[in-house]
Amino acid sequence: LYEPLLAKIQAGLPVYGTCAGLILLAREVEGGTPAFGTMNIRALRNAYGRQLGSFFTEEEFKGIGTVPMTFIRAPYIEKAYEDVEVLATVDGKIVAARQGNQLVTAFHPELDADLRVHQYFLEMAKKEEVQNKKMMFYEIVIGYMSSVTFLILLFTASFAVENIVARIILFILAFLVLIIGVSFALKIETETGYYECQKCHHKYVPKYSKVYFAMHIGTKRYMKCPKCNERTWQKKVLSK
């Protein structure tokens, strides 16, 4: 399961690691070996000692407020690198952080009745779909605007301008607008959400060149799935 799970996390699957899960996601592990290594943090294993070093406290969690925190042979984040947002600290040690769709806590919120940390994670996952819908709307607007501008320039060059040089300039400008607009719209489409293989239902983010040159109907693309290696009409989906 390691390879497919790693691929899904790298493709943007929302994931939450508590305690040992924090260590699994860490790029660097002090006193251990990295596993998935998808989050730009350095984790310190068993940072608070053995089982007798387990403890309970209440501290501020960014965006939530004061939450109960139960630590059991817990790690903490020794260093947070680029793109990592620190969400909570205890005695100056980082115990909660986020990077994109990855959330980690050194404590166990499931051992307390307070559900706000789990609700934070669910809201975090929902925001991805909302943001992706917005980006797909921008793609449609850019695609239509560049197409309409192309047709207007083409019509003007063909029927409204008599000067040959001006016509050539307008023709060149029309095609430049179309190529740049479509390329930009396709880049948004490629990087927003995922494509789902209709055979094995694997969801992934393809390379831009694969999307650019693939046959398409709307946002469906005829491409080769990296998992099952079958060519199918792969539909656009906004979340995992």
Side-chain angles (χ1 to χ4, degrees):
L1 292 176
Y2 175 80
E3 291 297 338
L5 187 54
L6 174 61
K8 286 181 181 292
I9 296 172
Q10 289 174 332
L13 175 71
V15 60
Y16 177 21
T18 64
C19 196
L22 181 154
I23 297 170
L24 288 173
L25 294 176
R27 188 180 80 185
E28 299 173 3
V29 179
E30 189 73 25
T33 304
F36 292 108
T38 52
M39 195 163 177
N40 295 328
I41 57 174
R42 180 166 71 226
L44 181 63
R45 296 182 62 194
N46 296 327
Y48 294 102
R50 296 178 178 272
Q51 192 74 25
L52 292 176
S54 302
F55 67 98
F56 172 85
T57 188
E58 292 184 346
E59 293 289 346
E60 190 75 13
F61 192 106
K62 186 176 179 180
I64 297 178
T66 302
V67 298
M69 301 178 179
T70 300
F71 293 83
I72 302 175
R73 295 184 65 187
Y76 63 68
I77 298 171
E78 198 170 36
K79 188 172 180 61
Y81 296 104
E82 65 278 4
D83 301 324
V84 175
E85 180 184 9
V86 175
L87 299 175
T89 61
V90 173
D91 297 329
K93 305 296 192 299
I94 303 170
V95 296
R98 174 184 176 181
Q99 180 184 338
N101 278 338
Q102 299 178 83
L103 174 69
V104 292
T105 58
F107 57 93
H108 291 269
E110 74 278 6
L111 297 179
D112 297 296
D114 194 317
L115 300 177
R116 286 177 297 162
V117 175
H118 291 103
Q119 288 169 345
Y120 176 91
F121 174 66
L122 292 176
E123 288 299 319
M124 186 182 87
K126 287 179 184 176
K127 282 180 182 177
E128 179 198 18
E129 186 169 356
V130 172
Q131 179 64 22
N132 284 341
K133 284 182 179 178
K134 187 184 295 184
M135 294 304 294
M136 290 302 290
F137 173 75
Y138 292 155
E139 183 220 356
I140 293 169
V141 171
I142 292 169
Y144 276 117
M145 285 182 64
S146 58
S147 298
V148 169
T149 304
F150 167 76
L151 292 173
I152 291 172
L153 290 171
L154 206 60
F155 179 85
T156 303
S158 301
F159 303 105
V161 177
E162 294 184 359
N163 185 279
I164 298 299
V165 175
R167 278 188 173 186
I168 292 172
I169 292 173
L170 285 174
F171 275 125
I172 293 173
L173 186 60
F175 281 99
L176 280 175
V177 167
L178 183 66
I179 291 169
I180 293 171
V182 169
S183 298
F184 193 67
L186 281 179
K187 184 172 178 61
I188 293 175
E189 182 184 319
T190 303
E191 296 176 355
T192 301
Y194 313 90
Y195 281 93
E196 181 179 4
C197 174
Q198 296 304 287
K199 187 174 180 66
C200 69
H201 300 290
H202 174 59
K203 295 177 183 178
Y204 69 103
V205 178
K207 291 182 179 178
Y208 173 75
S209 59
K210 299 290 184 184
V211 176
Y212 192 91
F213 293 109
M215 292 187 293
H216 72 281
I217 302 172
T219 56
K220 284 187 176 181
R221 304 277 163 178
Y222 190 73
M223 297 185 294
K224 185 178 180 180
C225 173
K227 184 178 181 181
C228 68
N229 291 319
E230 293 288 335
R231 287 190 177 274
T232 61
W233 285 100
Q234 301 183 20
K235 68 177 182 179
K236 192 70 179 177
V237 294
L238 298 180
S239 63
K240 287 284 188 178

